[in-house]
Amino acid sequence: LGQPTNYTHQGTRDRRGCLPFRVPLSERASMVSFALSEEQQMLADMTREFVSNEVIPAAEHHDRDGKYPTEIAAKAFELGLMNITIPDCYGGGDLGHMEEAIITEELAYGCAGMAISMTVNNLSSVPIQIGGSEEQKKKWLGMLTEEHCTASYCLSEPDAGSDAAGLRTSAVLKGDHYILNGTKAWVSGGAHSRFFTLFATTDPGSGYEGITCFVIPADAAGVEIGKKEDMMGQRASNTVFVNFQDVKVPVENRIGDEGKGFQIAMKTFDRTRPGVAAAAVGIGRRALEESVRYAQERKAFGKPIARQQAIQFMLADMARDVEAARLLTYQSAWMIDQGQRNTKQCSMAKCFAGDMAMRVSTGAVQVFGGYGYSKEYPVEKLMRDAKVMQIYEGTNQIQRIIIARHLLEA
């Protein structure tokens, strides 16, 4: 900062008892900024236009029929809205997690279920980026960026969700390959994936320390895709169970060393939970905007309901919570881009934003009254889409445990 002029010495107080700043007031504003850069704003505008033209008009159809939006996702791929955090040396967008949060919010504003089909690679590719060799990155990340395709993340099981140490899928080493057996649950985009990033136990008696990460081609012998789950919300995401029976996995498909899978999975969530929070912000923002619009149009007792203080208080609380959730999300994403550990902050963001999305979308249904309960209006879908934001990538109860653990350890 150089030598200050006309300032008292650092650490001393002036006559008013205030600690002096070493940086002139004119320069202080640039130290902390809440504004998007010009490039980030252009990215947000481009995504918003894509959502307006492609996603929102098709959202009702895909929600009703549960159809996977392959064609729309392919258009997102061509625009560069997929694989954005994969480095450019592997064909990706080479952007930061802040940019990912910006894009994800806009996509989820249009339809959270369709957004998953365009962001699912963000989750499945991160373990490879974290623990993969250079050859593995070129092969598997390059596959995602060369042409439009998707990959899925397989951690949860029918009897092991939040308790990752309880997973039963096993990988037994036999010479130069592993034999994989087990079932993975709640696999987003599973029926449309080119490969799976999967976690299995190579040492069942070691708990967390026995978990190992693998990449499994979807067309490998012994891989069986289960029926599509009939979900309450985010119905366009194609959620399935995947069975693995005596699947031969070459040793070169192991990501990292044996027993390092749990560490990879937890580091992955640090990078991907801000994206979940951003999707929740998108849902909440859409619910707020729909509520404001409706409240200004709907009349009761001779005037728009927006003039009723009861409604105004609801809208004010909704707006406050959306803005707060976005700030937490941006902070947790920014920390990744700065190379800082963000475990506590990303849990805060995911937890607060997920709860916010449910609270605000429920409030939107209330503002709409009886119409809010009808499928002819968009807010009932937002409420259904919001619920899973409190569940996947670690329930919000798990997030609270993580936050408390960091506070108590500190």
Side-chain angles (χ1 to χ4, degrees), residues 136 139-140 154 169-182 184 195-202 212-223 242-256 258:
Q136 289 171 330
K139 178 179 180 179
W140 301 109
C154 299
T169 298
S170 63
V172 179
L173 183 62
K174 298 287 186 181
D176 62 353
H177 63 271
Y178 291 85
I179 301 298
L180 187 75
N181 283 281
K184 291 299 180 179
F195 64 84
F196 304 104
T197 305
L198 177 144
F199 296 83
T201 179
T202 49
T212 304
C213 182
F214 299 90
V215 174
I216 315 295
D219 59 359
V223 176
V242 183
N243 299 313
F244 301 87
Q245 184 173 359
D246 294 330
V247 179
K248 293 182 66 174
V249 183
V251 171
E252 56 264 29
N253 283 26
R254 187 187 68 214
I255 303 299
E258 281 195 7

Side-chain angles (χ1 to χ4, degrees), residues 329-349:
T329 299
Y330 280 3
Q331 181 197 28
S332 64
W334 175 85
M335 290 179 73
I336 307 171
D337 295 337
Q338 298 300 311
Q340 300 178 21
R341 186 182 180 188
N342 73 331
T343 304
K344 180 180 72 174
Q345 284 76 13
C346 77
S347 287
M348 287 179 171

Side-chain angles (χ1 to χ4, degrees), residues 102 104 152 168 188 202 262 286 329 374:
I102 292 167
T104 303
S152 295
R168 303 293 172 79
S188 297
T202 49
F262 183 76
R286 176 76 179 277
T329 299
S374 169

Side-chain angles (χ1 to χ4, degrees), residues 65-106:
D65 296 344
K67 180 183 177 184
Y68 196 73
T70 303
E71 297 81 5
I72 296 175
K75 294 179 181 179
F77 174 83
E78 294 298 330
L79 277 176
L81 298 179
M82 291 180 62
N83 308 311
I84 65 165
T85 60
I86 293 178
D88 57 2
C89 57
Y90 310 116
D94 202 31
L95 297 177
H97 290 268
M98 266 293 296
E99 287 75 21
E100 177 191 344
I102 292 167
I103 290 174
T104 303
E105 177 184 337
E106 297 300 334

Side-chain angles (χ1 to χ4, degrees), residues 198-338:
L198 177 144
F199 296 83
T201 179
T202 49
D203 186 357
S206 297
Y208 296 110
E209 295 179 357
I211 298 174
T212 304
C213 182
F214 299 90
V215 174
I216 315 295
D219 59 359
V223 176
E224 179 185 359
I225 306 299
K227 69 177 181 67
K228 179 182 180 297
E229 295 297 313
D230 191 9
M231 308 295 282
M232 177 175 74
Q234 302 198 11
R235 293 170 49 78
S237 65
N238 184 261
T239 302
V240 298
F241 280 47
V242 183
N243 299 313
F244 301 87
Q245 184 173 359
D246 294 330
V247 179
K248 293 182 66 174
V249 183
V251 171
E252 56 264 29
N253 283 26
R254 187 187 68 214
I255 303 299
D257 296 332
E258 281 195 7
K260 300 300 182 183
F262 183 76
Q263 296 178 24
I264 292 173
M266 295 304 101
K267 290 179 180 178
T268 294
F269 285 142
D270 285 352
R271 295 196 189 184
T272 59
R273 280 175 178 154
V276 176
V281 172
I283 295 172
R285 192 184 102 214
R286 176 76 179 277
L288 170 63
E289 292 182 9
E290 295 287 352
S291 298
V292 170
R293 186 180 303 111
Y294 182 81
Q296 292 173 321
E297 297 172 353
R298 172 69 170 171
K299 290 186 178 181
F301 308 105
K303 59 184 179 182
I305 62 172
R307 293 176 60 185
Q308 301 286 351
Q309 191 178 66
I311 300 298
Q312 292 176 357
F313 282 5
M314 291 179 67
L315 297 177
D317 287 346
M318 293 159 72
R320 173 203 64 198
D321 289 353
V322 170
E323 293 290 335
R326 183 184 292 111
L327 289 173
L328 276 171
T329 299
Y330 280 3
Q331 181 197 28
S332 64
W334 175 85
M335 290 179 73
I336 307 171
D337 295 337
Q338 298 300 311

Side-chain angles (χ1 to χ4, degrees), residues 378-397:
V379 291
E380 65 86 26
K381 175 183 180 299
L382 293 171
M383 183 176 173
R384 287 187 287 109
D385 286 348
K387 182 57 194 174
V388 77
M389 309 308 295
Q390 297 175 303
I391 298 173
Y392 60 18
E393 289 206 29
T395 66
N396 281 5
Q397 286 70 35

